[in-house]
Amino acid sequence: MKHTFSLLVIAAASLGASAAVPATSEPALKDVFGDKFRVAVAINDAQAKEIDKEGAAIVKHHFNTVVAENVMKCSEIHPEKNRYHWDDADAFVEFAERNGMTVIGHCLIWHSQLAPWFLYDDEGKYVSADTLKARMRDHIHAVVGRYKGRVKGWDVVNEAIVESGKYRNSGFYKILGEEFIPLAFQYAHEADPEAELYYNDYGMNVPGRRDGVVRMVQDLKRRGLRIDAVGMQAHMGMDYPDFREFEDALNAFAATGCKVMITEWDMSALPTFSRSSNVGDVAAYQKALNPYPDALPEDVSAHWNSRMDAFFSLFLRHSDVINRVTAWGVTDGNSWKNGFPVRGRHDYPLLFDRNYEMKPFLKNLVNYHKHK
Ligand code: G3I
């Protein structure tokens, strides 16, 4: 009954039946759902520095946990072999601490947004295995060590398993084989023994990748290494992932004994052009791929809200194993999906719209749950 009710309410709201309400006037998501899981959001530099005042206001009102969308990534925080750039990451952590929020670190070892020097010697050739181990250890110890006791947990390794379940043939893998993953977890634990440690990936509903990640998690545990949770990025579209497949994967990760986190939730409202979240897979702009430059048609908005309602309700049902739900950005205008997989598009993938207003599905869920 509730779901049917949701659909009716969502449809009405999508038709603009509800008056515009500033997001900071709505009941706080962290108050309504905070007893189920951490209510988290990825924030950009302008929000952390409160340059985007409206975005920062939504973050402070609705969320109890934040993750840095970019400023803690290797290419941003360690741009040259002997130079770190701490200012933006420091500002992010200080924003969170100033506002009593939990801080999540993203991400230590990733093939993308990797500093260009990281894998190469002065001649441009891959460094030796020992050199790469030393560079990984130095990077992880410097970054995790700097925020020791201030960051709740780290995405230690990001996107290392492909859809077949095999290891991604990244530079890390080419030089160190699968050993780069346990080494990364070991170095992170050395640097902050209290920090939670996570593996994070996209397309985790795909059975091949799901089983490969389970195998990798079990291997880390067999080695006696700390891994607290598996991050399902949950970058979605209007026709993927399959709901049951997603739930099967969620259950498979929970069966390893790890917690599960929804780490980068968004849902493109545009026709699916690519299911990849591998940022290298970008296509050139085509007008046909940007069908809703001004606003979503009401039927598309109602369908989007209904799918979001179904997945959020799934997260709530599994809150015994899901301990964080993270939106990958504050408002639709902030989303990476406006530029991926096709640059220059207008997408509508997040919890708040370009007018900083909460999406109908979420208003409906808040109203349903706020008195429970
Ligand atoms: O910082 C530079 C700036 O100096 C420059 O002027 C500007 C214009 O080129 O680019 C800025 O860097 C951009 C960066 O975001 C910060 O805004 C990069 O070009 C852009 O590629 C980068 O995109 C990020 C993307 O990761 C790149 O991999 C997105 O914001 C971010 O949302 C996205 O997040 C990843 C997760 O970390 C891992 N999972 C997949 C997810 C989507 O790719």
Side-chain angles (χ1 to χ4, degrees), residues 69-70 73 76 106 110 112-113 158-159 233 235 264 277 279 328 336:
E69 186 178 12
N70 286 294
K73 291 170 178 174
E76 304 282 334
H106 173 81
W110 186 28
S112 183
Q113 286 181 278
N158 197 40
E159 303 175 12
Q233 291 183 9
H235 292 297
E264 305 185 12
S277 287
V279 285
W328 197 245
W336 72 291

PDB file of all heavy atoms in Angstrom, residues 69-70 73 76 106 110 112-113 158-159 233 235 264 277 279 328 336, ligand 1:
ATOM      1  N   GLU A  69      34.417  14.916  -2.834  1.00  0.00           N
ATOM      2  CA  GLU A  69      34.206  14.408  -4.199  1.00  0.00           C
ATOM      3  C   GLU A  69      35.535  14.284  -4.947  1.00  0.00           C
ATOM      4  O   GLU A  69      35.743  13.337  -5.707  1.00  0.00           O
ATOM      5  CB  GLU A  69      33.268  15.347  -4.958  1.00  0.00           C
ATOM      6  CG  GLU A  69      32.888  14.820  -6.333  1.00  0.00           C
ATOM      7  CD  GLU A  69      31.915  15.722  -7.069  1.00  0.00           C
ATOM      8  OE1 GLU A  69      31.692  16.871  -6.647  1.00  0.00           O
ATOM      9  OE2 GLU A  69      31.382  15.254  -8.092  1.00  0.00           O
ATOM     10  N   ASN A  70      36.450  15.234  -4.705  1.00  0.00           N
ATOM     11  CA  ASN A  70      37.715  15.215  -5.451  1.00  0.00           C
ATOM     12  C   ASN A  70      38.978  15.573  -4.682  1.00  0.00           C
ATOM     13  O   ASN A  70      40.058  15.106  -5.032  1.00  0.00           O
ATOM     14  CB  ASN A  70      37.607  16.183  -6.634  1.00  0.00           C
ATOM     15  CG  ASN A  70      36.738  15.635  -7.745  1.00  0.00           C
ATOM     16  OD1 ASN A  70      37.096  14.639  -8.373  1.00  0.00           O
ATOM     17  ND2 ASN A  70      35.577  16.218  -7.949  1.00  0.00           N
ATOM     18  N   LYS A  73      41.830  13.110  -3.671  1.00  0.00           N
ATOM     19  CA  LYS A  73      42.339  12.130  -4.646  1.00  0.00           C
ATOM     20  C   LYS A  73      43.810  12.427  -4.937  1.00  0.00           C
ATOM     21  O   LYS A  73      44.267  13.577  -4.843  1.00  0.00           O
ATOM     22  CB  LYS A  73      41.504  12.188  -5.928  1.00  0.00           C
ATOM     23  CG  LYS A  73      40.085  11.655  -5.723  1.00  0.00           C
ATOM     24  CD  LYS A  73      39.215  11.951  -6.925  1.00  0.00           C
ATOM     25  CE  LYS A  73      37.821  11.381  -6.775  1.00  0.00           C
ATOM     26  NZ  LYS A  73      36.924  11.800  -7.888  1.00  0.00           N
ATOM     27  N   GLU A  76      45.033  15.407  -6.925  1.00  0.00           N
ATOM     28  CA  GLU A  76      44.742  16.709  -6.307  1.00  0.00           C
ATOM     29  C   GLU A  76      45.616  16.929  -5.074  1.00  0.00           C
ATOM     30  O   GLU A  76      46.078  18.028  -4.831  1.00  0.00           O
ATOM     31  CB  GLU A  76      43.260  16.794  -5.906  1.00  0.00           C
ATOM     32  CG  GLU A  76      42.260  16.549  -7.034  1.00  0.00           C
ATOM     33  CD  GLU A  76      42.085  17.756  -7.958  1.00  0.00           C
ATOM     34  OE1 GLU A  76      42.315  18.891  -7.490  1.00  0.00           O
ATOM     35  OE2 GLU A  76      41.734  17.555  -9.135  1.00  0.00           O
ATOM     36  N   HIS A 106      38.218   9.789   0.581  1.00  0.00           N
ATOM     37  CA  HIS A 106      38.070   9.172  -0.749  1.00  0.00           C
ATOM     38  C   HIS A 106      39.097   9.787  -1.674  1.00  0.00           C
ATOM     39  O   HIS A 106      39.062  11.025  -1.855  1.00  0.00           O
ATOM     40  CB  HIS A 106      36.651   9.438  -1.269  1.00  0.00           C
ATOM     41  CG  HIS A 106      36.389   9.019  -2.661  1.00  0.00           C
ATOM     42  ND1 HIS A 106      36.107   7.717  -3.009  1.00  0.00           N
ATOM     43  CD2 HIS A 106      36.400   9.726  -3.815  1.00  0.00           C
ATOM     44  CE1 HIS A 106      35.924   7.651  -4.314  1.00  0.00           C
ATOM     45  NE2 HIS A 106      36.087   8.841  -4.831  1.00  0.00           N
ATOM     46  N   TRP A 110      43.618   4.489  -6.713  1.00  0.00           N
ATOM     47  CA  TRP A 110      42.649   4.445  -7.827  1.00  0.00           C
ATOM     48  C   TRP A 110      43.399   4.681  -9.130  1.00  0.00           C
ATOM     49  O   TRP A 110      44.285   5.548  -9.195  1.00  0.00           O
ATOM     50  CB  TRP A 110      41.579   5.501  -7.623  1.00  0.00           C
ATOM     51  CG  TRP A 110      40.441   5.458  -8.617  1.00  0.00           C
ATOM     52  CD1 TRP A 110      39.964   4.378  -9.302  1.00  0.00           C
ATOM     53  CD2 TRP A 110      39.625   6.578  -9.002  1.00  0.00           C
ATOM     54  NE1 TRP A 110      38.898   4.759 -10.079  1.00  0.00           N
ATOM     55  CE2 TRP A 110      38.666   6.106  -9.916  1.00  0.00           C
ATOM     56  CE3 TRP A 110      39.599   7.929  -8.670  1.00  0.00           C
ATOM     57  CZ2 TRP A 110      37.703   6.930 -10.497  1.00  0.00           C
ATOM     58  CZ3 TRP A 110      38.655   8.757  -9.234  1.00  0.00           C
ATOM     59  CH2 TRP A 110      37.706   8.245 -10.149  1.00  0.00           C
ATOM     60  N   SER A 112      42.313   6.074 -11.713  1.00  0.00           N
ATOM     61  CA  SER A 112      41.912   7.354 -12.305  1.00  0.00           C
ATOM     62  C   SER A 112      42.239   8.503 -11.347  1.00  0.00           C
ATOM     63  O   SER A 112      42.381   8.299 -10.152  1.00  0.00           O
ATOM     64  CB  SER A 112      40.409   7.341 -12.611  1.00  0.00           C
ATOM     65  OG  SER A 112      40.027   8.542 -13.242  1.00  0.00           O
ATOM     66  N   GLN A 113      42.388   9.682 -11.875  1.00  0.00           N
ATOM     67  CA  GLN A 113      42.814  10.837 -11.080  1.00  0.00           C
ATOM     68  C   GLN A 113      44.038  10.508 -10.227  1.00  0.00           C
ATOM     69  O   GLN A 113      44.200  10.973  -9.109  1.00  0.00           O
ATOM     70  CB  GLN A 113      41.662  11.364 -10.201  1.00  0.00           C
ATOM     71  CG  GLN A 113      40.603  12.119 -11.007  1.00  0.00           C
ATOM     72  CD  GLN A 113      39.466  12.669 -10.168  1.00  0.00           C
ATOM     73  OE1 GLN A 113      38.542  11.941  -9.845  1.00  0.00           O
ATOM     74  NE2 GLN A 113      39.524  13.943  -9.815  1.00  0.00           N
ATOM     75  N   ASN A 158      39.846   1.713  -4.983  1.00  0.00           N
ATOM     76  CA  ASN A 158      38.654   2.061  -5.745  1.00  0.00           C
ATOM     77  C   ASN A 158      38.725   1.404  -7.119  1.00  0.00           C
ATOM     78  O   ASN A 158      39.739   1.494  -7.811  1.00  0.00           O
ATOM     79  CB  ASN A 158      38.618   3.599  -5.909  1.00  0.00           C
ATOM     80  CG  ASN A 158      37.255   4.107  -6.321  1.00  0.00           C
ATOM     81  OD1 ASN A 158      36.236   3.637  -5.851  1.00  0.00           O
ATOM     82  ND2 ASN A 158      37.236   5.039  -7.245  1.00  0.00           N
ATOM     83  N   GLU A 159      37.628   0.654  -7.469  1.00  0.00           N
ATOM     84  CA  GLU A 159      37.427   0.190  -8.849  1.00  0.00           C
ATOM     85  C   GLU A 159      38.577  -0.669  -9.390  1.00  0.00           C
ATOM     86  O   GLU A 159      39.126  -0.429 -10.460  1.00  0.00           O
ATOM     87  CB  GLU A 159      37.183   1.414  -9.762  1.00  0.00           C
ATOM     88  CG  GLU A 159      36.012   2.240  -9.293  1.00  0.00           C
ATOM     89  CD  GLU A 159      35.791   3.516 -10.083  1.00  0.00           C
ATOM     90  OE1 GLU A 159      36.398   3.674 -11.156  1.00  0.00           O
ATOM     91  OE2 GLU A 159      35.024   4.368  -9.634  1.00  0.00           O
ATOM     92  N   GLN A 233      28.933   1.788  -5.217  1.00  0.00           N
ATOM     93  CA  GLN A 233      28.809   3.179  -5.627  1.00  0.00           C
ATOM     94  C   GLN A 233      27.362   3.537  -5.991  1.00  0.00           C
ATOM     95  O   GLN A 233      26.885   4.625  -5.676  1.00  0.00           O
ATOM     96  CB  GLN A 233      29.727   3.475  -6.813  1.00  0.00           C
ATOM     97  CG  GLN A 233      31.201   3.433  -6.431  1.00  0.00           C
ATOM     98  CD  GLN A 233      32.119   3.808  -7.582  1.00  0.00           C
ATOM     99  OE1 GLN A 233      31.657   4.260  -8.635  1.00  0.00           O
ATOM    100  NE2 GLN A 233      33.417   3.613  -7.408  1.00  0.00           N
ATOM    101  N   HIS A 235      25.854   4.107  -8.908  1.00  0.00           N
ATOM    102  CA  HIS A 235      25.558   5.041 -10.018  1.00  0.00           C
ATOM    103  C   HIS A 235      24.528   4.335 -10.902  1.00  0.00           C
ATOM    104  O   HIS A 235      24.813   3.284 -11.469  1.00  0.00           O
ATOM    105  CB  HIS A 235      26.817   5.367 -10.813  1.00  0.00           C
ATOM    106  CG  HIS A 235      27.825   6.171 -10.039  1.00  0.00           C
ATOM    107  ND1 HIS A 235      27.558   7.439  -9.568  1.00  0.00           N
ATOM    108  CD2 HIS A 235      29.083   5.876  -9.651  1.00  0.00           C
ATOM    109  CE1 HIS A 235      28.625   7.906  -8.928  1.00  0.00           C
ATOM    110  NE2 HIS A 235      29.551   6.982  -8.943  1.00  0.00           N
ATOM    111  N   GLU A 264      28.023   6.290  -3.626  1.00  0.00           N
ATOM    112  CA  GLU A 264      28.037   7.353  -4.646  1.00  0.00           C
ATOM    113  C   GLU A 264      26.701   7.395  -5.399  1.00  0.00           C
ATOM    114  O   GLU A 264      26.633   7.478  -6.606  1.00  0.00           O
ATOM    115  CB  GLU A 264      29.195   7.131  -5.618  1.00  0.00           C
ATOM    116  CG  GLU A 264      30.544   7.019  -4.944  1.00  0.00           C
ATOM    117  CD  GLU A 264      31.712   6.914  -5.911  1.00  0.00           C
ATOM    118  OE1 GLU A 264      31.531   7.142  -7.111  1.00  0.00           O
ATOM    119  OE2 GLU A 264      32.826   6.582  -5.441  1.00  0.00           O
ATOM    120  N   SER A 277      30.827   3.500 -15.431  1.00  0.00           N
ATOM    121  CA  SER A 277      31.162   4.681 -14.607  1.00  0.00           C
ATOM    122  C   SER A 277      32.658   4.911 -14.677  1.00  0.00           C
ATOM    123  O   SER A 277      33.211   5.681 -13.908  1.00  0.00           O
ATOM    124  CB  SER A 277      30.724   4.478 -13.150  1.00  0.00           C
ATOM    125  OG  SER A 277      29.321   4.571 -13.051  1.00  0.00           O
ATOM    126  N   VAL A 279      35.474   6.678 -15.857  1.00  0.00           N
ATOM    127  CA  VAL A 279      35.468   8.043 -16.389  1.00  0.00           C
ATOM    128  C   VAL A 279      36.203   8.191 -17.710  1.00  0.00           C
ATOM    129  O   VAL A 279      36.052   9.191 -18.390  1.00  0.00           O
ATOM    130  CB  VAL A 279      36.071   9.035 -15.360  1.00  0.00           C
ATOM    131  CG1 VAL A 279      35.078   9.280 -14.250  1.00  0.00           C
ATOM    132  CG2 VAL A 279      37.388   8.510 -14.832  1.00  0.00           C
ATOM    133  N   TRP A 328      25.925  11.249  -4.384  1.00  0.00           N
ATOM    134  CA  TRP A 328      27.181  11.704  -4.988  1.00  0.00           C
ATOM    135  C   TRP A 328      27.032  13.123  -5.539  1.00  0.00           C
ATOM    136  O   TRP A 328      27.106  13.395  -6.727  1.00  0.00           O
ATOM    137  CB  TRP A 328      27.662  10.729  -6.069  1.00  0.00           C
ATOM    138  CG  TRP A 328      29.107  10.929  -6.400  1.00  0.00           C
ATOM    139  CD1 TRP A 328      29.629  11.358  -7.585  1.00  0.00           C
ATOM    140  CD2 TRP A 328      30.225  10.739  -5.521  1.00  0.00           C
ATOM    141  NE1 TRP A 328      30.993  11.445  -7.506  1.00  0.00           N
ATOM    142  CE2 TRP A 328      31.390  11.084  -6.245  1.00  0.00           C
ATOM    143  CE3 TRP A 328      30.372  10.323  -4.187  1.00  0.00           C
ATOM    144  CZ2 TRP A 328      32.675  11.014  -5.695  1.00  0.00           C
ATOM    145  CZ3 TRP A 328      31.638  10.256  -3.624  1.00  0.00           C
ATOM    146  CH2 TRP A 328      32.769  10.596  -4.377  1.00  0.00           C
ATOM    147  N   TRP A 336      28.389  15.135 -11.560  1.00  0.00           N
ATOM    148  CA  TRP A 336      29.340  14.715 -12.617  1.00  0.00           C
ATOM    149  C   TRP A 336      28.591  14.192 -13.825  1.00  0.00           C
ATOM    150  O   TRP A 336      29.084  14.190 -14.949  1.00  0.00           O
ATOM    151  CB  TRP A 336      30.298  13.666 -12.071  1.00  0.00           C
ATOM    152  CG  TRP A 336      29.645  12.315 -11.856  1.00  0.00           C
ATOM    153  CD1 TRP A 336      28.701  12.011 -10.922  1.00  0.00           C
ATOM    154  CD2 TRP A 336      29.877  11.126 -12.596  1.00  0.00           C
ATOM    155  NE1 TRP A 336      28.320  10.694 -11.027  1.00  0.00           N
ATOM    156  CE2 TRP A 336      29.033  10.120 -12.047  1.00  0.00           C
ATOM    157  CE3 TRP A 336      30.718  10.778 -13.643  1.00  0.00           C
ATOM    158  CZ2 TRP A 336      29.008   8.814 -12.526  1.00  0.00           C
ATOM    159  CZ3 TRP A 336      30.698   9.489 -14.140  1.00  0.00           C
ATOM    160  CH2 TRP A 336      29.847   8.521 -13.580  1.00  0.00           C
TER     161      TRP A 336
HETATM  162  O1  G3I B   1      40.473  20.601 -10.621  1.00  0.00           O
HETATM  163  C1  G3I B   1      40.423  20.817 -12.037  1.00  0.00           C
HETATM  164  C2  G3I B   1      40.392  22.313 -12.339  1.00  0.00           C
HETATM  165  O2  G3I B   1      41.615  22.888 -11.910  1.00  0.00           O
HETATM  166  C3  G3I B   1      40.203  22.517 -13.844  1.00  0.00           C
HETATM  167  O3  G3I B   1      40.104  23.898 -14.118  1.00  0.00           O
HETATM  168  C4  G3I B   1      38.908  21.800 -14.285  1.00  0.00           C
HETATM  169  C5  G3I B   1      38.625  21.950 -15.755  1.00  0.00           C
HETATM  170  O4  G3I B   1      39.312  20.985 -16.463  1.00  0.00           O
HETATM  171  O5  G3I B   1      39.019  20.388 -13.991  1.00  0.00           O
HETATM  172  C6  G3I B   1      39.148  20.169 -12.593  1.00  0.00           C
HETATM  173  O6  G3I B   1      39.259  18.796 -12.350  1.00  0.00           O
HETATM  174  C7  G3I B   1      38.034  18.096 -12.551  1.00  0.00           C
HETATM  175  C8  G3I B   1      37.657  17.436 -11.220  1.00  0.00           C
HETATM  176  O7  G3I B   1      36.495  16.608 -11.392  1.00  0.00           O
HETATM  177  C9  G3I B   1      37.373  18.460 -10.138  1.00  0.00           C
HETATM  178  O8  G3I B   1      36.276  19.238 -10.522  1.00  0.00           O
HETATM  179  C10 G3I B   1      38.278  17.039 -13.597  1.00  0.00           C
HETATM  180  O9  G3I B   1      38.471  17.682 -14.853  1.00  0.00           O
HETATM  181  C11 G3I B   1      37.076  16.116 -13.689  1.00  0.00           C
HETATM  182  O10 G3I B   1      37.362  15.032 -14.555  1.00  0.00           O
HETATM  183  C12 G3I B   1      36.774  15.533 -12.308  1.00  0.00           C
HETATM  184  O11 G3I B   1      35.612  14.733 -12.416  1.00  0.00           O
HETATM  185  C13 G3I B   1      35.401  13.891 -11.277  1.00  0.00           C
HETATM  186  C14 G3I B   1      35.508  12.435 -11.732  1.00  0.00           C
HETATM  187  O12 G3I B   1      35.316  11.580 -10.591  1.00  0.00           O
HETATM  188  C15 G3I B   1      36.850  12.191 -12.373  1.00  0.00           C
HETATM  189  O13 G3I B   1      37.258  10.926 -12.242  1.00  0.00           O
HETATM  190  C16 G3I B   1      34.008  14.130 -10.740  1.00  0.00           C
HETATM  191  O14 G3I B   1      33.900  15.448 -10.228  1.00  0.00           O
HETATM  192  C17 G3I B   1      33.698  13.113  -9.631  1.00  0.00           C
HETATM  193  O15 G3I B   1      32.329  13.194  -9.262  1.00  0.00           O
HETATM  194  C18 G3I B   1      33.957  11.688 -10.117  1.00  0.00           C
HETATM  195  O16 G3I B   1      33.781  10.818  -9.036  1.00  0.00           O
HETATM  196  C19 G3I B   1      34.119   9.429  -9.267  1.00  0.00           C
HETATM  197  C20 G3I B   1      34.488   8.838  -7.935  1.00  0.00           C
HETATM  198  O17 G3I B   1      35.564   9.571  -7.390  1.00  0.00           O
HETATM  199  C21 G3I B   1      34.826   7.361  -8.079  1.00  0.00           C
HETATM  200  N1  G3I B   1      33.702   6.639  -8.665  1.00  0.00           N
HETATM  201  C22 G3I B   1      33.268   7.165  -9.959  1.00  0.00           C
HETATM  202  C23 G3I B   1      32.907   8.641  -9.821  1.00  0.00           C
HETATM  203  C24 G3I B   1      32.434   9.163 -11.140  1.00  0.00           C
HETATM  204  O18 G3I B   1      33.505   9.153 -12.054  1.00  0.00           O
END
